[in-house]
Amino acid sequence: MIRYDVTDAVATITLDRPDSMNSLTAELKTALLDALHRAAADPGVRAVLLTGSGRAFCAGQDLREHADNLEAGRGLANTVREHYNPIVELITTMAKPVVAAVNGVAAGAGAALAFACDLRVASEKAKFAMAFTGIGLAPDSGASWTLARLVGLGRATELLLLGEPFSAARALELGVVTRVVPADDVLKTAQELAVRLAAGPTMAFAATKQALAYATTHSLSETLALEADIQDACVATQDHLDATRAFLVKEQPSFHGR
């Protein structure tokens, strides 16, 4: 259900249930969380690429499995707390950049997975849908947090309440995705972006993610204090020292993630 490959310091994690549009069963969610932990813990991995196989990125929760749980009286079967929450928290807090290659449909929790990533490259054929209210549910998988940060509270409210599908072009206009490219180029473009990030200052990227997340829920003075602390940590890295020396002699810096 998951393909995992490491090339050029990029761990590519591919959701691999193409016949079911990569919809999320408990088994797939467990495998995805395991793959993310593997990438996070591997010092040879400096960036992560998340994508789907076939015509979809991820259609969200597998509703057949969900219906079986409802009929058996299990409700959500604790999947939000056990699966979705730790997956999204790991993506957003991982000390490595995470890029989504949105190759097709991204709906519900599947769209939320893409929103949790740091950058999103979408196929021009991709479609997004915040499908939660259409089946009588509220958003989960961090969608209420990530989407509001990407597009603002007003737009997020509209997208989540109405649940109307929107195109890749509209997603780019709203700021939901970073780039839109031809369908044949989406994986290549996302890979090139991930490789570029993997060759960059890993610790500075991690600090940037930390600062951005902190700033959304803290005051300016608190954020300034955190920035000072993480800048102290960054200035002590070998990457910063090497890059400063390279700048002074007009050479391109080479980063090694330390």
Side-chain angles (χ1 to χ4, degrees):
M1 290 191 174
I2 289 284
R3 297 203 309 269
Y4 186 96
D5 173 71
V6 178
T7 305
D8 295 328
V10 175
T12 299
I13 300 173
T14 305
L15 307 179
D16 197 20
R17 294 186 71 218
D19 293 342
S20 300
M21 298 180 71
N22 303 315
S23 58
L24 297 161
T25 61
E27 184 179 1
L28 177 53
K29 285 174 279 192
T30 298
L32 173 57
L33 184 57
D34 288 345
L36 289 166
H37 276 299
R38 179 180 173 185
D42 186 349
V45 169
R46 294 173 59 190
V48 177
L49 174 61
L50 180 63
T51 192
S53 62
R55 62 193 178 93
F57 174 75
C58 177
Q61 173 63 39
D62 185 300
L63 291 183
R64 292 184 183 277
E65 182 180 83
H66 179 61
D68 290 342
N69 285 330
L70 291 178
E71 292 296 331
R74 292 189 292 266
L76 290 170
N78 205 36
T79 193
V80 173
R81 294 181 178 87
E82 184 178 342
H83 298 127
Y84 289 123
N85 288 358
I87 287 170
V88 169
E89 189 164 9
L90 181 53
I91 291 172
T92 55
T93 61
M94 189 184 300
K96 301 171 184 181
V98 184
V99 178
V102 184
N103 52 301
V105 172
L113 289 181
F115 299 160
C117 296
D118 300 304
L119 300 173
R120 288 152 298 282
V121 177
S123 160
E124 61 187 2
K125 296 181 179 179
K127 290 190 181 300
F128 297 83
M130 303 315 298
F132 298 101
T133 58
I135 54 171
L137 292 175
D140 60 32
S141 309
S144 59
W145 191 82
T146 53
L147 188 57
R149 293 177 77 219
L150 289 171
V151 304
L153 179 60
R155 287 294 190 193
T157 302
E158 175 187 349
L159 295 172
L160 288 167
L161 288 182
L162 298 180
E164 295 173 346
F166 55 99
S167 67
R170 179 61 172 157
L172 183 63
E173 179 184 336
L174 290 169
V176 169
V177 298
T178 311
R179 300 178 187 175
V180 174
V181 299
D184 291 342
D185 295 337
V186 63
L187 188 57
K188 176 185 175 184
T189 302
Q191 287 172 333
E192 290 173 348
L193 187 56
V195 168
R196 174 182 170 184
L197 290 166
T202 310
M203 296 177 70
F205 290 154
T208 299
K209 290 180 65 168
Q210 180 187 1
L212 287 168
Y214 187 89
T216 61
T217 55
H218 291 78
S219 68
L220 174 60
S221 60
E222 291 170 322
T223 301
L224 290 170
L226 177 73
E227 286 182 346
D229 289 340
I230 61 178
Q231 202 69 304
D232 285 342
C234 286
V235 81
T237 63
Q238 190 66 42
D239 277 346
H240 171 66
L241 178 60
D242 291 346
T244 303
R245 288 170 173 168
F247 177 83
L248 293 175
V249 296
K250 296 182 170 55
E251 293 180 353
Q252 286 296 315
S254 179
F255 298 107
H256 301 283
R258 56 180 185 270

